[in-house]
PDB file of all heavy atoms in Angstrom:
ATOM      1  N   ALA A 269     -30.681 -25.017   8.433  1.00 97.00           N
ATOM      2  CA  ALA A 269     -31.660 -26.116   8.933  1.00 97.00           C
ATOM      3  C   ALA A 269     -31.312 -26.563  10.346  1.00 97.00           C
ATOM      4  O   ALA A 269     -32.198 -26.722  11.108  1.00 97.00           O
ATOM      5  CB  ALA A 269     -31.605 -27.258   7.898  1.00 97.00           C
ATOM      6  N   ARG A 270     -30.039 -26.697  10.638  1.00 97.00           N
ATOM      7  CA  ARG A 270     -29.699 -27.160  11.974  1.00 97.00           C
ATOM      8  C   ARG A 270     -29.999 -26.015  13.043  1.00 97.00           C
ATOM      9  O   ARG A 270     -30.238 -26.407  14.184  1.00 97.00           O
ATOM     10  CB  ARG A 270     -28.189 -27.515  12.053  1.00 97.00           C
ATOM     11  CG  ARG A 270     -27.218 -26.390  11.884  1.00 97.00           C
ATOM     12  CD  ARG A 270     -25.853 -26.751  12.330  1.00 97.00           C
ATOM     13  NE  ARG A 270     -24.865 -25.709  11.888  1.00 97.00           N
ATOM     14  CZ  ARG A 270     -23.596 -25.636  12.285  1.00 97.00           C
ATOM     15  NH1 ARG A 270     -23.057 -26.637  13.030  1.00 97.00           N
ATOM     16  NH2 ARG A 270     -22.755 -24.711  11.882  1.00 97.00           N
ATOM     17  N   ARG A 271     -29.950 -24.823  12.598  1.00 95.00           N
ATOM     18  CA  ARG A 271     -30.281 -23.677  13.544  1.00 95.00           C
ATOM     19  C   ARG A 271     -31.789 -23.500  13.593  1.00 95.00           C
ATOM     20  O   ARG A 271     -32.308 -22.570  14.257  1.00 95.00           O
ATOM     21  CB  ARG A 271     -29.586 -22.478  13.015  1.00 95.00           C
ATOM     22  CG  ARG A 271     -28.112 -22.429  13.077  1.00 95.00           C
ATOM     23  CD  ARG A 271     -27.481 -21.145  12.619  1.00 95.00           C
ATOM     24  NE  ARG A 271     -26.024 -21.327  12.467  1.00 95.00           N
ATOM     25  CZ  ARG A 271     -25.205 -21.110  13.461  1.00 95.00           C
ATOM     26  NH1 ARG A 271     -25.777 -20.688  14.598  1.00 95.00           N
ATOM     27  NH2 ARG A 271     -23.908 -21.159  13.373  1.00 95.00           N
ATOM     28  N   GLU A 272     -32.564 -24.280  12.777  1.00 95.00           N
ATOM     29  CA  GLU A 272     -34.038 -24.235  12.777  1.00 95.00           C
ATOM     30  C   GLU A 272     -34.524 -22.874  12.145  1.00 95.00           C
ATOM     31  O   GLU A 272     -35.580 -22.360  12.416  1.00 95.00           O
ATOM     32  CB  GLU A 272     -34.656 -24.529  14.098  1.00 95.00           C
ATOM     33  CG  GLU A 272     -34.340 -25.893  14.666  1.00 95.00           C
ATOM     34  CD  GLU A 272     -34.999 -26.161  16.044  1.00 95.00           C
ATOM     35  OE1 GLU A 272     -35.252 -25.262  16.749  1.00 95.00           O
ATOM     36  OE2 GLU A 272     -35.251 -27.364  16.256  1.00 95.00           O
ATOM     37  N   GLN A 273     -33.657 -22.294  11.314  1.00 96.00           N
ATOM     38  CA  GLN A 273     -34.064 -21.077  10.589  1.00 96.00           C
ATOM     39  C   GLN A 273     -34.831 -21.485   9.384  1.00 96.00           C
ATOM     40  O   GLN A 273     -35.473 -20.642   8.661  1.00 96.00           O
ATOM     41  CB  GLN A 273     -32.731 -20.338  10.238  1.00 96.00           C
ATOM     42  CG  GLN A 273     -32.023 -19.795  11.346  1.00 96.00           C
ATOM     43  CD  GLN A 273     -30.724 -19.155  11.094  1.00 96.00           C
ATOM     44  OE1 GLN A 273     -30.186 -19.236   9.855  1.00 96.00           O
ATOM     45  NE2 GLN A 273     -30.046 -18.516  12.004  1.00 96.00           N
ATOM     46  N   LEU A 274     -34.766 -22.692   8.969  1.00 96.00           N
ATOM     47  CA  LEU A 274     -35.540 -23.344   7.828  1.00 96.00           C
ATOM     48  C   LEU A 274     -36.336 -24.508   8.473  1.00 96.00           C
ATOM     49  O   LEU A 274     -35.759 -25.295   9.178  1.00 96.00           O
ATOM     50  CB  LEU A 274     -34.644 -23.740   6.694  1.00 96.00           C
ATOM     51  CG  LEU A 274     -33.820 -22.622   5.921  1.00 96.00           C
ATOM     52  CD1 LEU A 274     -32.863 -23.369   4.975  1.00 96.00           C
ATOM     53  CD2 LEU A 274     -34.806 -21.698   5.233  1.00 96.00           C
ATOM     54  N   SER A 275     -37.465 -24.771   7.918  1.00 96.00           N
ATOM     55  CA  SER A 275     -38.131 -25.968   8.191  1.00 96.00           C
ATOM     56  C   SER A 275     -37.513 -27.154   7.375  1.00 96.00           C
ATOM     57  O   SER A 275     -36.798 -26.858   6.418  1.00 96.00           O
ATOM     58  CB  SER A 275     -39.634 -25.927   7.913  1.00 96.00           C
ATOM     59  OG  SER A 275     -39.811 -25.797   6.494  1.00 96.00           O
ATOM     60  N   ALA A 276     -37.835 -28.371   7.733  1.00 95.00           N
ATOM     61  CA  ALA A 276     -37.330 -29.519   6.995  1.00 95.00           C
ATOM     62  C   ALA A 276     -37.705 -29.399   5.433  1.00 95.00           C
ATOM     63  O   ALA A 276     -36.911 -29.604   4.597  1.00 95.00           O
ATOM     64  CB  ALA A 276     -37.794 -30.824   7.591  1.00 95.00           C
ATOM     65  N   ALA A 277     -38.915 -29.049   5.197  1.00 95.00           N
ATOM     66  CA  ALA A 277     -39.553 -28.909   3.832  1.00 95.00           C
ATOM     67  C   ALA A 277     -38.756 -27.765   3.062  1.00 95.00           C
ATOM     68  O   ALA A 277     -38.421 -27.900   1.964  1.00 95.00           O
ATOM     69  CB  ALA A 277     -41.000 -28.683   3.832  1.00 95.00           C
ATOM     70  N   GLU A 278     -38.542 -26.682   3.769  1.00 97.00           N
ATOM     71  CA  GLU A 278     -37.883 -25.526   3.148  1.00 97.00           C
ATOM     72  C   GLU A 278     -36.404 -25.868   2.781  1.00 97.00           C
ATOM     73  O   GLU A 278     -35.908 -25.491   1.833  1.00 97.00           O
ATOM     74  CB  GLU A 278     -37.866 -24.316   4.070  1.00 97.00           C
ATOM     75  CG  GLU A 278     -39.295 -23.656   4.180  1.00 97.00           C
ATOM     76  CD  GLU A 278     -39.406 -22.640   5.371  1.00 97.00           C
ATOM     77  OE1 GLU A 278     -38.519 -22.731   6.257  1.00 97.00           O
ATOM     78  OE2 GLU A 278     -40.258 -21.723   5.246  1.00 97.00           O
ATOM     79  N   ALA A 279     -35.770 -26.561   3.765  1.00 97.00           N
ATOM     80  CA  ALA A 279     -34.353 -26.974   3.510  1.00 97.00           C
ATOM     81  C   ALA A 279     -34.262 -27.913   2.299  1.00 97.00           C
ATOM     82  O   ALA A 279     -33.461 -27.734   1.376  1.00 97.00           O
ATOM     83  CB  ALA A 279     -33.784 -27.575   4.723  1.00 97.00           C
ATOM     84  N   ALA A 280     -35.133 -28.897   2.252  1.00 95.00           N
ATOM     85  CA  ALA A 280     -35.140 -29.795   1.124  1.00 95.00           C
ATOM     86  C   ALA A 280     -35.394 -29.043  -0.196  1.00 95.00           C
ATOM     87  O   ALA A 280     -34.822 -29.426  -1.176  1.00 95.00           O
ATOM     88  CB  ALA A 280     -36.264 -30.867   1.307  1.00 95.00           C
ATOM     89  N   ALA A 281     -36.360 -28.146  -0.163  1.00 96.00           N
ATOM     90  CA  ALA A 281     -36.600 -27.400  -1.392  1.00 96.00           C
ATOM     91  C   ALA A 281     -35.440 -26.578  -1.853  1.00 96.00           C
ATOM     92  O   ALA A 281     -35.226 -26.486  -3.067  1.00 96.00           O
ATOM     93  CB  ALA A 281     -37.851 -26.518  -1.211  1.00 96.00           C
ATOM     94  N   GLN A 282     -34.654 -25.995  -0.936  1.00 97.00           N
ATOM     95  CA  GLN A 282     -33.544 -25.157  -1.295  1.00 97.00           C
ATOM     96  C   GLN A 282     -32.325 -25.974  -1.787  1.00 97.00           C
ATOM     97  O   GLN A 282     -31.605 -25.560  -2.604  1.00 97.00           O
ATOM     98  CB  GLN A 282     -33.202 -24.361  -0.147  1.00 97.00           C
ATOM     99  CG  GLN A 282     -34.131 -23.215   0.163  1.00 97.00           C
ATOM    100  CD  GLN A 282     -33.675 -22.216   1.224  1.00 97.00           C
ATOM    101  OE1 GLN A 282     -32.409 -22.097   1.388  1.00 97.00           O
ATOM    102  NE2 GLN A 282     -34.524 -21.494   1.802  1.00 97.00           N
ATOM    103  N   ILE A 283     -32.216 -27.207  -1.264  1.00 96.00           N
ATOM    104  CA  ILE A 283     -31.136 -28.046  -1.691  1.00 96.00           C
ATOM    105  C   ILE A 283     -31.427 -28.793  -3.126  1.00 96.00           C
ATOM    106  O   ILE A 283     -30.582 -29.017  -3.862  1.00 96.00           O
ATOM    107  CB  ILE A 283     -30.880 -29.156  -0.649  1.00 96.00           C
ATOM    108  CG1 ILE A 283     -29.911 -28.547   0.340  1.00 96.00           C
ATOM    109  CG2 ILE A 283     -30.231 -30.494  -1.307  1.00 96.00           C
ATOM    110  CD1 ILE A 283     -29.332 -29.525   1.379  1.00 96.00           C
ATOM    111  N   GLU A 284     -32.741 -28.923  -3.411  1.00 95.00           N
ATOM    112  CA  GLU A 284     -33.118 -29.667  -4.560  1.00 95.00           C
ATOM    113  C   GLU A 284     -32.345 -29.171  -5.883  1.00 95.00           C
ATOM    114  O   GLU A 284     -31.796 -29.956  -6.653  1.00 95.00           O
ATOM    115  CB  GLU A 284     -34.574 -29.622  -4.821  1.00 95.00           C
ATOM    116  CG  GLU A 284     -35.106 -30.590  -5.825  1.00 95.00           C
ATOM    117  CD  GLU A 284     -35.382 -32.037  -5.267  1.00 95.00           C
ATOM    118  OE1 GLU A 284     -35.244 -32.159  -3.995  1.00 95.00           O
ATOM    119  OE2 GLU A 284     -35.707 -32.840  -6.048  1.00 95.00           O
ATOM    120  N   PRO A 285     -32.254 -27.863  -6.097  1.00 96.00           N
ATOM    121  CA  PRO A 285     -31.638 -27.395  -7.374  1.00 96.00           C
ATOM    122  C   PRO A 285     -30.125 -27.483  -7.294  1.00 96.00           C
ATOM    123  O   PRO A 285     -29.413 -27.341  -8.375  1.00 96.00           O
ATOM    124  CB  PRO A 285     -32.065 -25.941  -7.489  1.00 96.00           C
ATOM    125  CG  PRO A 285     -32.414 -25.564  -6.122  1.00 96.00           C
ATOM    126  CD  PRO A 285     -32.945 -26.724  -5.472  1.00 96.00           C
ATOM    127  N   LEU A 286     -29.559 -27.841  -6.092  1.00 97.00           N
ATOM    128  CA  LEU A 286     -28.142 -27.870  -6.016  1.00 97.00           C
ATOM    129  C   LEU A 286     -27.600 -29.321  -6.198  1.00 97.00           C
ATOM    130  O   LEU A 286     -26.437 -29.543  -6.280  1.00 97.00           O
ATOM    131  CB  LEU A 286     -27.701 -27.410  -4.637  1.00 97.00           C
ATOM    132  CG  LEU A 286     -28.084 -25.973  -4.202  1.00 97.00           C
ATOM    133  CD1 LEU A 286     -27.720 -25.679  -2.786  1.00 97.00           C
ATOM    134  CD2 LEU A 286     -27.338 -25.003  -5.107  1.00 97.00           C
TER     135      LEU A 286
END
Side-chain angles (χ1 to χ4, degrees):
R270 69 168 170 168
R271 296 177 186 275
E272 299 183 333
Q273 296 171 353
L274 295 173
S275 69
E278 290 170 335
Q282 290 190 18
I283 277 191
E284 194 82 7
L286 302 173

